[in-house]
Amino acid sequence: MKIKNVILRHLKMKMKFPFTTSFGTFLDKEFILVEVQDENGRSGWGESVAFMSPLYNEETLKTNWHILEDFLIPLVLDKEINHPDEVFDLFEPIRKNNMAKSAIEGAIWDLYAKRQNIPLAAALGGEKKEIEVGISIGIQKSVDELLTIISGAVTQGYRRIKVKIKPGWDVDVIREIRKPFPTIQLMADANSAYRLSDIDLLKQLDEFDLTMIEQPLASDDIVDHAQVQKQLTTPICLDESIHSVEDARKAISLGSCKIINIKIGRVGGLTESKRIHDLCQKHGLPVWCGGMLEAGVGRAHNIALTTLANFTMPGDTAASSRYWEKDIIEPEVTVHDGLITVPNAPGIGYDVDLNTIEKLTVREQIFSK
């Protein structure tokens, strides 16, 4: 197939509720939506998950647009691509910028699956017909507010509850959660808020039978995490530290974690996500799919990836209505009893809502030869 046109759109969506982590609060989600078109005018869709500020990693929406426009789009435009795995090799000379790479690579994966007339999940090698999902809950104004949200999520059937923690909002909060919810699958996400010197505090979390503690230490660390994991009975899950299959290999070798969270944007696309999945499966480490407050297109890519066999833990792909008054896909992603039914239509399996996209678009640019 040949990519004849690439369309970049900067969208701004208002979130239904503020979402707070250890590194900031989000009221709106601004992101780049990527559309690629082949010689027959068929479209594939991808979504950049970079935030407006370099808080999660070094990338931002503006840097993604620059990298896409000046480097990545010229590498694929009017190029004969037989399989999306080739895109990873085309982009290899460009250092890092994984979220920019993932956005356009994901669009090419969607287009490829549509041309093959198969679901994206099948194109990736996934076989599940439905996937288990959990919910990610940000830091709240009070513990009572947090407990109310957790109660609602449990009632809705979500299979795992993830809560954000930070210094001063950690052990005592988890203890309060466990009082009314002693048996739910519960995990704590630190988003790199702690240091090795906090080991005694982190060890206190062992008493709460957590499924995992996600990324307690620095976002680029795998060495100190190994020291912490040796002293904890609770599994450590690495997120921000894993940018590639090589990072995963080193983390496994050092014993830095017992679980890995695969985020498509963080690792540079679906091809590298599959490679990390396969490596972890070989070494007996379960994986799950993390979320980046995606709109519908990114959410659909997460669903497809999670159909691979070693995604054995519920991911962060909650229902569209959890975050948006109206999503940019039809139908929207829905959750029933903690499960999402994997769509069987070609490509991502959802139709993009062009009218809603147009209303939300701040800027648009078309690239063609």
Side-chain angles (χ1 to χ4, degrees), residues 14 112 140 153 162 165 169-170 263 268 287 317-318 323 329 349:
K14 183 173 179 59
Y112 170 80
Q140 304 301 309
K162 178 170 86 172
I165 61 171
W169 181 272
D170 40 48
K263 290 179 177 173
V287 299
T317 308
Y323 299 101
I329 56 170

Side-chain angles (χ1 to χ4, degrees), residues 49-153:
V49 295
F51 297 126
M52 292 297 289
S53 301
L55 302 175
Y56 174 83
N57 68 357
E58 73 281 359
E59 294 182 76
T60 69
L61 184 151
K62 288 185 178 180
T63 65
N64 271 199
W65 191 290
H66 157 55
I67 294 297
L68 283 160
E69 177 178 3
D70 294 332
F71 298 99
L72 301 181
I73 292 174
L75 289 174
V76 300
L77 206 55
D78 209 33
K79 182 99 43 159
E80 189 68 43
I81 298 172
N82 296 310
H83 191 278
D85 285 345
E86 298 170 12
V87 177
F88 183 89
D89 296 328
L90 288 173
F91 289 168
E92 197 166 19
I94 308 300
R95 300 285 181 89
K96 297 186 177 182
N97 294 286
N98 283 350
M99 291 177 176
K101 292 176 179 178
S102 173
I104 190 166
E105 188 234 41
I108 292 171
W109 266 104
D110 180 34
L111 178 60
Y112 170 80
K114 287 172 177 171
R115 287 170 62 95
Q116 300 297 313
N117 198 34
I118 58 175
L120 177 58
L124 292 168
E127 297 181 351
K128 298 175 190 172
K129 302 304 179 187
E130 55 186 15
I131 61 170
E132 285 191 307
V133 292
I135 194 167
S136 178
I137 302 174
I139 294 168
Q140 304 301 309
K141 294 179 181 178
S142 70
V143 173
D144 286 343
E145 288 185 32
L146 176 60
L147 293 176
T148 298
I149 295 171
I150 292 174
S151 179

